[in-house]
Amino acid sequence: MATRFSAKDKRVFDETLKSARLGAADAQYEVGLMYANGIGVLQDIAQAVHWVSQAAQRGLAAAQYLLATRYESGIGVEQSVHSAKLWFAKAAEQGHSKAQLRLGVLYGKTHTAQAMQFLRSAADAGLAQAQLALANAYLQGDGMEQDPAQAIHWYQAAASQGLPEAQHALGEALLKGVVSPPDTDAALVWYRKAARQDHLAAQVAIETLEQEGQTIGSLRGLRVQRHGQAERRRNEGRWIKAAEQGNSDARYHLGQMYERGLGLDADFDSALYWYGVAAQQGHARAQLALARLSEAAGLPDVFKWYLSAAKAGLPQAQFALGQLYLYTSSGMQDPLESLDLWMQAARQEHPQALAALGHWMLSDTRELGLLALRKAAQLGEPQAQFLLGQQLEQGKTRSQHGDTALEWYEKAAHQGHAGGQCALGVAYLRGKGVAKNFKVALQWLLKAAEQGDARAQWNLGALYAAGADGLTRDLKLAFQWFQRSADQGFVAASSNLGILYALTGLPERAVAEWKKAAMQEDPEAQYNLALAYTKGEGVEKDEIQALSLLGRAAELGVVAAQSRLGLMYVTGEGAALDPIEGHKWLFLAAESGDASARANLERSLALNSPKQTAEGQRRANEWKSRALSRSDKQTRI
């Protein structure tokens, strides 16, 4: 379904965008939220992350916290716990209590002192969830000395704010007597507060205490049990009378009494009836209970009642409906709907929904993302079409009904999507999935480059530098396109600018460009910079820097760097003598077809012992295994 928004939303977005472009952090944050939710503008997660990042960099704590959650979950950005911690820390430094809580959770048992510091800051700021987490840490002694008194203090702080999990935990602690003799009456006070918020464990605890009153033989237990029975006997007639008069709350409560045998004999059909009439009146909890009983008994309308209760915001219904959408065999499977429902429930801290989402994010998130991407592409969203084309091209998803990467690139390109235009141009340039056509390739690359696509600009620079396929070689145009690409941070363009500067007799400027690219782990730039340090061209000679850069380039697969590094280790020139490392790098370079490495490897084999050769071979195989396991590598044309 296409995103819809009102003219007012569009005006608000346009005005906010103006402020965002002027550098107002609050506006940048709001624009990010609008892009994320499709308010006043088509939904665009990449743009959302961009604007939120801008606001975060300007010091807005809310933006820093939101950006951290994206890095933690990997939604919209590449997942990075390190980046998440950095942004959570920036927000926490400004007193953002939720960020302090998340840092406490992230540091967990591995950095106990830091975790406790962050949890304590958030708890002192009054965040109930942090107070509960801190209480649990003090009670359980997770990586620290137990302190039950502190645990009770923080349970009380969180419970007093109405957090049902804390109320239940405080009841448990009082019942067990963790700091003083067990106090059933005090425990019941907190259990009942939690139970009134539908905390299942608290409700079970109350029922258990009342049922055990006859068997434990304590006057306190008997008082609890008899009080419960007397209260139900007094209220039974009132509930029935109110239910018969049409009160939906009374009908729901009567359903509970029949289902659980509370003051009345348990009767499934009566429970079903009273839940049903309350559900028809729109009582959300009755709808949830009716759906639950109907599902257990195999009755119809399960979806109908879960859906009604879910729309009313009940997290238990949202979770259950999500389960049905995911696992039903009735042809209604919809993983995207399941995810949406579970996220709604998780926002209300529904534990099963949180667990389900965690499982999905650990195992099935990629397939779910691809499903969403394909649906968006089929609905005509150009960014989704481009991304789906990428996934198909890289073999990260299977085609459906014979669709190809080229088809999706074409759809995106014809809608003016710069990434799609660049990808289509590269396909025509290479003849990948289509007959080679340099003229058409150049047209699409120019369209993308003129829209500011850095990769297209880099491709054009490379074409003009080489004078490929009849194109007149033009170093001036090559410089211009490489520079425009490099100005956007495209690393390969900086690397190529360095080569052009070196070719035109400007070694100092070449070194400056290579340094920028090498810092971002561009392997070719690292190799060229290593040669500059070796020869002292554009920079003072520095064998230590040269060796370090050669090692980084070799590790990233630059064959020439592997060959040169191997020779240095074998001969001891420019590096400490190490025949095993020398054999490793020479073998890898020779296997990639480097003739000089092949010749040097033969000499190395003649000098090495069988043990040294075997160890060098083992290291080479280990490197190949690491190289194969690298995922989502940045690729060029």
Side-chain angles (χ1 to χ4, degrees), residues 35 45 97 108 129 188 218 220 228 263 266 270 275 331 379 394 405-406 442 451 458 482 524 535 558 563 568 615:
Y35 269 117
I45 299 303
S97 57
Q129 292 89 343
L188 272 170
S218 70
R220 182 189 302 274
S270 295
Y275 283 145
L379 290 168
Q394 295 166 17
L406 186 70
L442 196 60
Q451 288 197 74
W458 175 79
F482 279 145
E524 286 80 9
K535 300 173 184 178
V558 177
S563 178
M568 290 168 67
E615 175 59 17

Side-chain angles (χ1 to χ4, degrees), residues 238-248 250-251 254 274 277:
R238 186 185 70 189
W239 288 119
I240 292 175
K241 183 177 180 180
E244 289 173 344
Q245 291 177 350
N247 183 285
S248 60
R251 290 176 168 184
L254 202 54
W274 286 113
V277 291

